[in-house]
Amino acid sequence: MRVLLTGAAGFVGRHLHQALLDRGDQVLGIDLNATPLVHSIDALDFFRRDEERFDLAIHCAAIVGGRASIDGSPLGVATNLGLDAWFMRWLARTKTPRAVYFSSSAAYPVALQQPGPVRRLIETDIDYQQPGRPDATYGLAKLTGEQLCQYAEAEVTRMTILRPFSGYGEDQDDCYPFPAFIRRAKERQDPFEIWGDGSSTRDWIHIDDIVDATLKAVDEGVLGPVNLGTGRATSFDRLASLVTEAAGYQPELKHLPAAPQGVHHRVCDPSRMLDFHVPRVTLEEGIARALAA
């Protein structure tokens, strides 16, 4: 296939880019940051001007930057609203037949992610007619993007909507929790700092499984929305213990209650994803890979 991939130099984008090339697809990868395989093109400008037709468009481009960016730069993150709107207009104008929109678990209502028993979020927990308040402007942009997908689909494009939970991998920027924990463990930091009180939980899914699930969804014509996660709730205290045990030491855990920490629980029900992809990289294996990298 001829594939347009936006955000191709980002964490998810660069892994998808390589996987698409490995299977023989012709890929135009665009990103603000150039690499040997990625063209330095502003996606917003591309969507406004380009008339080229692709078989598939995968839209990974977004401003994120971790929890500190989501909480500390709400207007910057809100730029995603314009980026996604122009992507949908480009799909309609070029009559692109298939597209993948990377949404986020941040689109889920924060009211469902509070302290108490862990609620495994299911795709229907977002009601487009009465969606509830998502997580900050980042979640709002992703929720709006999902709703815009319906308009693109009404034109001609079959849309696959994916909601990744806490993706991680060996080469992720350490503004995110998992690589930050790995760095601290490699440096054998003691005490070991944890943002918040350590009891918040996340659903960690390895980048290899995000990529595999994405390509299977494309090949099998899955539309969505679909959660990408494992359904395993892991607290930050537990993650710290797993990482430091694998690194061979037992530091004191130092909690930073004033640091940005987001919602309390963010864990998915992966049933819909399991219809076409079963995760193969456990959290323990992912930790071992990252420590060895």
Side-chain angles (χ1 to χ4, degrees):
M1 291 188 293
R2 297 190 66 250
V3 182
L4 172 72
L5 176 63
T6 72
F11 176 54
V12 174
R14 62 179 175 264
H15 285 269
L16 266 175
H17 196 178
Q18 189 60 57
L20 288 163
L21 293 175
D22 288 346
R23 69 187 211 155
D25 292 319
Q26 298 177 2
V27 186
L28 173 61
I30 66 173
D31 198 290
L32 289 175
N33 301 308
T35 73
L37 294 175
V38 176
H39 299 269
S40 180
I41 298 174
D42 184 322
L44 190 58
D45 185 61
F46 180 90
F47 295 146
R48 287 170 172 163
R49 301 174 185 273
D50 183 76
E51 301 293 338
E52 191 173 358
R53 183 178 169 86
F54 293 83
D55 301 311
L56 170 69
I58 303 179
H59 185 40
C60 296
I63 296 173
V64 191
R67 191 74 233 177
S69 177
I70 289 173
D71 288 349
S73 183
L75 288 177
V77 172
T79 303
N80 294 331
L81 288 162
L83 184 63
D84 292 350
W86 277 99
F87 172 65
M88 304 301 169
R89 294 183 68 176
W90 174 83
L91 291 176
R93 188 175 74 249
T94 59
K95 301 192 182 304
T96 303
R98 287 294 311 279
V100 175
Y101 176 69
F102 269 87
S103 183
S104 169
S105 54
Y108 280 102
V110 295
L112 303 181
Q113 303 171 73
Q114 299 304 311
V118 174
R119 174 171 178 155
R120 284 171 174 78
L121 300 165
I122 192 167
E123 288 84 356
T124 52
D125 282 332
I126 294 180
D127 179 349
Y128 292 140
Q129 300 304 314
Q130 296 180 314
R133 185 170 69 86
D135 187 0
T137 57
Y138 180 69
L140 176 63
K142 290 301 184 181
L143 175 61
T144 303
E146 287 195 25
Q147 293 174 308
L148 292 176
C149 286
Q150 299 174 72
Y151 298 108
E153 196 156 42
E155 295 288 335
V156 68
T157 306
R158 298 180 67 228
M159 302 293 306
T160 298
I161 300 172
L162 302 176
R163 295 176 185 159
F165 277 65
S166 294
Y168 73 96
E170 301 87 273
D171 60 340
Q172 189 178 28
D173 292 340
D174 76 355
C175 61
Y176 295 94
F178 180 89
F181 277 30
I182 294 296
R183 175 179 56 78
R184 290 170 197 159
K186 285 183 175 181
E187 295 171 356
R188 301 183 74 81
Q189 291 186 11
D190 190 356
F192 191 100
E193 293 186 347
I194 299 174
W195 289 9
D197 66 5
S199 65
S200 298
T201 64
R202 294 295 183 267
D203 186 341
W204 302 97
I205 178 168
H206 193 272
I207 184 61
D208 287 359
D209 283 308
I210 291 176
V211 169
D212 288 350
T214 300
L215 297 183
K216 287 178 182 176
V218 167
D219 291 343
E220 297 184 22
V222 176
L223 299 181
V226 179
N227 290 332
L228 302 185
T230 66
R232 177 181 175 182
T234 303
S235 72
F236 284 104
D237 275 355
R238 179 59 179 156
L239 179 64
S241 295
L242 289 171
V243 168
T244 54
E245 286 169 12
Y249 80 120
Q250 293 183 321
E252 172 192 354
L253 301 184
K254 179 181 179 181
H255 298 109
L256 304 177
Q261 51 193 296
V263 297
H264 197 79
H265 296 302
R266 180 164 287 165
V267 183
C268 82
D269 179 334
S271 299
R272 188 170 291 182
M273 181 193 72
L274 294 177
D275 287 340
F276 60 91
H277 176 71
V278 177
R280 57 188 176 86
V281 182
T282 65
L283 180 55
E284 288 79 5
E285 181 182 345
I287 289 169
R289 288 189 194 183
L291 287 171

